Amino acid sequence: MMGFLWSLIIGGIIGWLAGMIVGRDVPFGIIGNIIAGFVGAWLGSLILGNWGPSVADFAIVPALIGAIVFVFILSLILKGMRKAS
């Protein structure tokens, strides 16, 4: 149970940091940050592998880079959707 809780916390922090670096808020607040952190970790490990320091089964550097890419792409999609309507 504690491992799952740590994963949620670290995922939220990674998503929040990615939003701060990109300069865009992740939609849906803390839940959006957690989702961005998890998707970023998956995307980062898929592209960059699992290297660097790990916390709660997250390779921090690839997870953060993946989350930054995810938040940036998500912000472009949402911006395009707002313009279309």
Side-chain angles (χ1 to χ4, degrees):
M1 183 66 178
M2 284 300 291
F4 179 70
L5 186 60
W6 272 113
S7 294
L8 291 177
I9 291 169
I10 299 300
I13 291 171
I14 289 171
W16 174 74
L17 283 173
M20 296 292 287
I21 291 170
V22 173
R24 310 278 176 158
D25 286 334
V26 177
F28 307 114
I30 188 77
I31 302 298
N33 285 335
I34 292 170
I35 292 169
F38 275 93
V39 171
W42 172 76
L43 186 63
S45 67
L46 189 68
I47 296 170
L48 302 170
N50 292 324
W51 53 273
S54 282
V55 177
D57 291 333
F58 285 90
I60 299 297
V61 176
L64 184 58
I65 293 170
I68 290 169
V69 169
F70 177 70
V71 169
F72 181 73
I73 291 171
L74 184 63
S75 71
L76 290 178
I77 291 170
L78 292 175
K79 189 178 194 182
M81 289 175 64
R82 279 188 234 136
K83 282 186 179 181
S85 56

